[in-house]
Amino acid sequence: MYEAAAAAPGPAALGPLWRLGAGRTLFVGPLVYNAPHQHGAPVFLSSLGGPFGLRLPGGGWLACEAAMIPAGVVHELRLDGEPVFVLYAEPDAGGPAALASLVAAPSERDGVLVGRSMVQTFARELHERRDALDFVDEGLDDALAFAQARARRAIDPRVAATARALDRAGAPLDRLARSAGLSPSRLQHLFTQEVGVPFRRYRAWARMRRAIAEIVEGSNFTTAAHAAGFADQAHFARHFRATFGAAASVSLTKPRAPAGR
């Protein structure tokens, strides 16, 4: 009797893909369940195949191919281990008006747009291809340029400039207000009006972006937490769960690195 030949090992599973750049944050990878949470920036989600579950406060589960959720809107996600494309756009990248353009045939549910995805093929390529980090930036540039061209309104340039400054260094409010030619109270009011969340919440989002960027670049959670201004790893972990509705380990363990690193 012949022994069965050992099965050849399959290709190693690719880790989650994170890409953080000027004005945008991208995650592509599998998720299971994200408890009710809200972001400091608007977010666009696209399935890579079958629909994902989205629930808004007081409602039932919606089966979605794509959705645009404004900043500050509480929502819940159910993916059951399936991959999803998640793109956050900061004010200088067009914010919610740009992301809304990535939802085809949209319908509105309590301020959230749901419909078909304009980027599903691109999302699948990012998830499946080992060289995805080689072309992700060009693809995002194209997607956001398309979205911004179709956006119905632009965000106030003073708010966009303030968001860029926060993302780079977290400058104090009074300095940001002087740069914008506004009083601190007026800048805060305008920021909330344009972005959809208070200035303080967006500052916390910018700090979270810095911590994620550190981890994606190879730092451990403790080093990344300190570099971004969190007291310690536990402080970062609490804020991550509040921001995304799931533990940091779910999406930030072994993120994909460029070839050769």
Side-chain angles (χ1 to χ4, degrees), residues 31-37 61 75-79 244-246:
L31 295 174
V32 178
Y33 170 72
N34 292 60
H37 60 287
W61 285 100
H75 58 286
E76 192 175 353
L77 296 173
R78 187 175 65 203
L79 279 300
F244 296 103

Side-chain angles (χ1 to χ4, degrees), residues 94 96-101 103 106 108 113 147-155:
L99 292 183
S101 298
V103 182
E108 184 175 338
L113 297 181
Q148 288 170 341
R150 299 179 68 209
R152 295 181 179 177
R153 68 179 293 270
I155 287 178

Side-chain angles (χ1 to χ4, degrees), residues 196-219:
V197 294
F199 176 84
R200 184 176 180 181
R201 178 170 290 169
Y202 185 86
R203 184 192 288 277
W205 167 252
R207 181 172 62 173
M208 179 60 67
R209 270 176 42 94
R210 289 195 294 275
I212 292 171
E214 290 281 337
I215 294 169
V216 171
E217 289 299 314
S219 295

